[in-house]
Amino acid sequence: MNYRVPEPVPQVILDDIRGAQKMLSGVSRVTAMEGSRHLSSLTGSPVHLKCENLQRTGSFKLRGAYVRIAGLRPEQRAAGVVAASAGNHAQGVALASSLLGVRSTVFMPVGAPLPKVAATQEYGAEVRMHGHVVDETLAAAQDYADRTGAVFIHPFDHPDIIAGQGTVGLEILEQCPEVRTILVGIGGGGLAAGVAVAVKALRPDVKVIGVQAAGAAAYPPSLKVGHPVSIDNPNTMADGIKVGRPGDVPFRIIGELLDDVRTVSEDALSSALLLCLERAKLVVEPAGCSTVAALLSEPERYGGGPVVAVLSGGNIDPLLLQRILRHGMAAAGRYLSLRLRVADRPGALAGLLAVLSVVDANVLDVSHVRTDPRLGLTEVEVELHLETKGPEHCAEVARSLHSAGYKVMS
């Protein structure tokens, strides 16, 4: 991709990323690279997972935040720093500031998950709750910076942030020198831009592909017109990449260096999260497993050699995890909901449950409806929620009910 971007836009080069890597020595972890036999069998190529969900603070964000804050002049450090974030960037800024002895204030939206708020406070930041969407929180943080002189630490639109995130790319080349394709999630674009600079400078033959949630995909239309554009009301469970407008600095890099940007559905994201838990034994947030969602959605596109999928973060609220797991299991055919009518007489429900028992379908919930005017005088509608073993098992359940004389309504 080659796109024209208005000047001037700061550049990031390989030397910047190598300098960031030295700066981060002893601060960030060189995260593990784990193989995935299941994904490898789907794609026909070896697939490795770069586990930034196991990074300090639970995501790659510490890398860029530390490099950015470490590069401040003494008088800037004395003024403190401020950031706006719903989670990962907040924690990265908080820990980086504490390690460097800099005062930090982090604005978070009202309703941010309590575990993320608590973690940000425990890393040493003063947390202020403001706004109900990130744009409102961002405006409050920028106003605070203007009033107090604190340095605003942008989550992705700064060369130092990009250089820090680019160290992920250097580690990938060191850990998997035979890599042919790297998948990176994209929100504002800092991580993808940094990885692209590092990888393309050293291995221009390696494909670097960005992945966005379809409901928050600002890059495809921006790349089409050649400059960052905003999308209205981005909507996705992947809050870590829920960004309505690309950053100017990463946009230029991504336009010049990325081989492609692909989008994934909400069903694919929830299925990917479930797969990471079940098969890889890794807790990954929806944004963090967007790359796995891309592999699941189109496995045939990644058969040209070893693939590395970056798992960018693992900070997920337990309540959200519970909901997403239910969604993921439904998307994977592990839940089946249906309605049918049976005779309103003793033993009718027992007969229905006996049919389900024969096909080994686990009943999670049963409800009766007797007041619907569409029902006959001797009928009752039964709604069932079942736990199944996959799409084939769902089909078997439906066939068994049909063979037993039940008419499934949905």
Side-chain angles (χ1 to χ4, degrees), residues 55-379:
Q55 183 58 261
R56 295 179 70 178
T57 75
S59 86
F60 69 95
K61 289 288 190 176
L62 172 64
R63 297 173 184 262
Y66 187 90
V67 173
R68 173 76 173 102
I69 298 169
L72 297 178
R73 299 187 303 274
E75 64 271 21
Q76 292 176 311
R77 292 195 188 195
V81 300
V82 61
S85 169
N88 289 346
H89 182 58
Q91 293 173 67
V93 168
L95 179 56
S97 299
S98 295
L99 294 173
L100 292 164
V102 177
R103 185 178 70 258
S104 64
T105 303
V106 175
F107 284 78
M108 303 183 77
V110 175
L114 292 178
K116 293 185 178 182
V117 176
T120 303
Q121 292 172 325
E122 289 170 7
Y123 286 129
E126 177 189 348
V127 174
R128 300 191 181 192
M129 311 302 292
H130 185 92
H132 294 276
V133 296
V134 174
D135 285 344
E136 296 172 350
T137 309
L138 182 63
Q142 291 174 325
D143 178 67
Y144 178 89
D146 294 338
R147 288 187 290 105
T148 66
V151 179
F152 179 67
I153 307 299
H154 200 284
F156 50 82
D157 205 12
H158 193 279
D160 290 346
I161 295 286
I162 293 171
Q165 322 302 30
T167 58
V168 174
L170 295 181
E171 289 179 16
I172 290 172
L173 295 182
E174 292 165 0
Q175 294 171 306
C176 186
E178 68 278 13
V179 64
R180 301 297 301 172
T181 303
I182 298 173
L183 292 169
V184 190
I186 302 182
L191 176 62
V195 169
V197 170
V199 171
K200 291 297 186 177
L202 297 170
R203 289 281 307 280
D205 59 303
V206 174
K207 290 184 179 180
V208 182
I209 296 172
V211 182
Q212 289 207 289
Y219 265 89
S222 297
L223 292 169
K224 185 176 181 179
V225 299
H227 59 83
V229 297
S230 298
I231 58 171
D232 295 328
N233 302 316
N235 183 27
T236 175
M237 70 176 77
D239 59 346
I241 53 175
K242 187 179 177 181
V243 178
R245 182 188 184 278
D248 292 324
V249 183
F251 178 80
R252 173 176 183 152
I253 296 168
I254 286 172
E256 291 179 349
L257 298 182
L258 248 66
D259 294 278
D260 198 2
V261 175
R262 295 171 187 167
T263 61
V264 293
S265 68
E266 298 297 286
D267 282 351
L269 286 168
S270 57
S271 295
L273 188 149
L274 183 62
L275 183 142
C276 287
L277 275 174
E278 286 191 322
R279 298 298 185 99
K281 315 305 177 190
L282 292 168
V283 176
V284 187
E285 61 188 282
C289 64
S290 60
T291 53
V292 174
L295 291 171
L296 291 177
S297 299
E298 299 178 292
E300 68 281 355
R301 299 186 71 162
Y302 303 99
V307 179
V308 171
V310 179
L311 305 181
S312 58
N315 292 317
I316 183 169
D317 179 55
L319 295 177
L320 176 61
L321 176 61
Q322 186 180 43
R323 294 198 298 270
I324 292 174
L325 285 177
R326 287 198 299 266
H327 186 271
M329 291 184 73
R334 301 278 294 278
Y335 285 144
L336 176 62
S337 297
L338 47 84
R339 291 181 300 120
L340 40 80
R341 293 177 183 177
V342 300
D344 189 9
R345 57 176 175 77
L349 180 60
L352 171 61
L353 297 179
V355 174
L356 297 174
S357 176
V358 170
V359 291
D360 201 25
N362 187 34
V363 179
L364 299 175
D365 190 35
V366 180
S367 63
H368 288 77
V369 176
R370 286 189 168 86
T371 57
D372 192 321
R374 294 172 297 181
L375 293 172
L377 290 176
T378 60
E379 287 183 319

